[in-house]
Amino acid sequence: MIVHDNPPHIRRMETGRDDAFGFEITGHITASDIENMFGLLEAAYELHDRIDVLVVVREFEGFDWSAALRKSTLSGKAHALKHIRRYAVVGGPGWMSAAMGFFKPFLSVEMRHFALDEEAEAWAWLDAA
């Protein structure tokens, strides 16, 4: 068994649909966490032109601003917008809902924020489990 000193803070969650992808975020997000997530999404785009994404945020401790503002991260976000049909965020700090509300009118992605205790509703909104 391999023990990781720094396990990933963004982990993939299994879903009931092959074109729906779930991620769980915990702790402090680093550049390697972001690169891992975009790598998983890139693989999904190879199989499906349009996907649905659910992100569950538990015990969020922030992220490295330098990682969030990297050219590769910004490029990954722009590429994701071409492929994501529906995007649900569950939990997280209050500013996440406000940020989604701010950007919603400018994007073609259907987005919704759910409270942590509404995770089942988020899965239902995506028609996934």
Side-chain angles (χ1 to χ4, degrees):
M1 181 169 99
I2 298 173
V3 177
H4 297 282
D5 291 335
N6 296 315
H9 297 279
I10 300 177
R11 292 180 290 281
R12 182 153 180 229
M13 300 167 62
E14 293 297 321
T15 71
R17 288 184 18 227
D18 63 346
D19 64 342
F21 294 82
F23 296 95
E24 180 180 48
I25 294 177
T26 59
H28 186 84
I29 307 307
T30 65
S32 61
D33 292 316
I34 293 170
E35 288 175 20
N36 179 54
M37 183 183 71
F38 282 129
L40 292 169
L41 288 172
E42 288 293 330
Y45 309 150
E46 291 294 320
L47 299 173
H48 307 282
D49 185 49
R50 305 283 284 167
I51 62 172
D52 294 333
V53 177
L54 179 125
V55 176
V56 179
V57 183
R58 303 179 202 281
E59 301 173 24
F60 181 71
E61 296 174 5
F63 56 90
D64 291 339
W65 279 100
S66 61
L69 299 175
R70 278 184 173 177
K71 185 178 179 180
S72 62
T73 301
L74 297 174
S75 174
K77 288 179 184 178
H79 193 222
L81 292 174
K82 296 176 185 176
H83 295 279
I84 296 177
R85 180 177 40 238
R86 284 186 152 191
Y87 177 58
V89 175
V90 178
W95 61 261
M96 284 187 179
S97 179
M100 289 178 73
F102 176 80
F103 287 108
K104 194 175 189 175
F106 305 107
L107 304 173
S108 62
V109 177
E110 288 184 66
M111 296 187 294
R112 282 191 58 188
H113 183 266
F114 297 84
L116 197 52
D117 63 352
E118 298 175 321
E119 183 176 346
E121 289 89 344
W123 285 108
W125 182 67
L126 292 180
D127 193 26

